[in-house]
Amino acid sequence: MASATNLSMLRATAIIIAISLICTFTQVSGQAKTTFAQAQGAYDRGAYGTAIKLLAKPASVEDFILFGKLCAVTKVDGGVAAFADAIEADRGSTRTRSYYALGLIDGHQLDKAMEQVERGLRHDPQSAELMSLKGRCLYKKGEARAGLELMEKAQQRAPRSEIVLYDLARSYTESFDTAAADAAYTRLVKLKPGCVDPLLERAYMYVQAARDAQALGDFAAILKINPCCQLAYWQRAYFYQQRKKYREAIEDCKRCLACPDSIKQIERRVLRLKIDAQERLKLYADAAADSKILTAETPTLVKHWGVRGDMLRQAALQEKLGQYKEALATLDPLYKKAPDRTEVMVLRARILGKAGQYVSSLELCDKLITRDDSIPDWYRMRARALKGLGRGADAERDLRKAAALGDDIPDLPGFFHDK
């Protein structure tokens, strides 16, 4: 009797454990689905920062694909790696291979993309997506007609395929066929109602095609879906910047930077756009203040030339404000890292001259003019140093040389010019 009782208790315990495990598994699975669903919803409405945070540790095929798409739309690194992880997770299905090829194409790795497409077509020769991506590869490699024919054939096979429609829309845009691009993007907008992605791409196409009313209409539609869409404010600021509406650009930059759903890499791009607009309006103090935000991490980022460009611009802004000591301090890390870079030498020579350090300025001016004797600004810079050293006749000679050369100089960044 005791053994029978014990057996019954063991069975009851086993049943309870099994039920508990089932419940736990169901709960965990439900949470995973809920997290992905939240990330997908955030992606659809253009809350890209939120979606990226939700997918901080992607685990499933769907996670990897969505994370790759997020990287692609926000121009943040990691998309190709995410699509590669998706292939590994499902052993190379047609779907994941298509997304991987798409990521490689966006990353200009056309040979690798074509290799993936051909491998996929050997297993699934009827895939419209792979056919379209082969056409996209051919198009990007310079075989535009053959590429477009393949993409159009793929669209006939799968008229509602997101990948096929994006391939066509982007290719038509690059071919300056605005009408065809508009039609493809409009099909995508209808296919994905309430989704920001196709509206963003179509708006950018309209901006490039100078169809201002349509571009602004799409931006308004996006902001109706999500009033805090960071990418919409950034792209609209870019639109205003191109149209020389600098105050409107600055306001959209401010709105973009105030978005709670923010991505740091985008913030840096927006700050650069805002600084440029402020410079155009001669708001140098405001531009310099924003520039300090970009260069705050100088010790760790000085090796990157994008950040070096920010430092050059900051030094030039400080120069305009007469803050010569601060400008030289901003340039010091660059001068130590790359003393022979022309852009560093130009700014340093000019600021040294304005700061009254004529000997050091003259030394750099001599090096620059030896390197290229066709830049009138450099003679004017040297004339300032020569005059400061009491060599008036030599200074006049350089000023005459600058006048003879005129102002027909190469297209250089604004901070090269002494304005």
Side-chain angles (χ1 to χ4, degrees), residues 50-93:
T50 296
I52 287 173
K53 288 171 187 172
L54 285 166
L55 294 177
K57 295 180 179 179
S60 69
V61 171
E62 295 305 320
D63 288 348
F64 289 128
I65 290 174
L66 184 56
F67 190 79
K69 291 167 73 174
L70 280 163
C71 292
V73 74
T74 57
K75 304 295 187 292
V76 171
D77 292 339
V80 173
F83 291 137
D85 287 337
I87 280 189
E88 188 174 339
D90 79 347
R91 299 183 180 182
S93 71

Side-chain angles (χ1 to χ4, degrees), residues 254-281:
K254 289 179 180 177
R255 294 184 185 103
C256 183
L257 293 167
C259 285
D261 176 67
S262 187
I263 298 170
K264 186 174 181 179
Q265 293 92 324
I266 293 176
E267 288 178 9
R268 296 187 69 83
R269 298 168 197 162
V270 172
L271 274 171
R272 290 184 180 116
L273 196 156
K274 184 172 177 239
I275 290 165
D276 186 68
Q278 288 168 156
E279 277 196 271
R280 306 276 182 161
L281 295 172

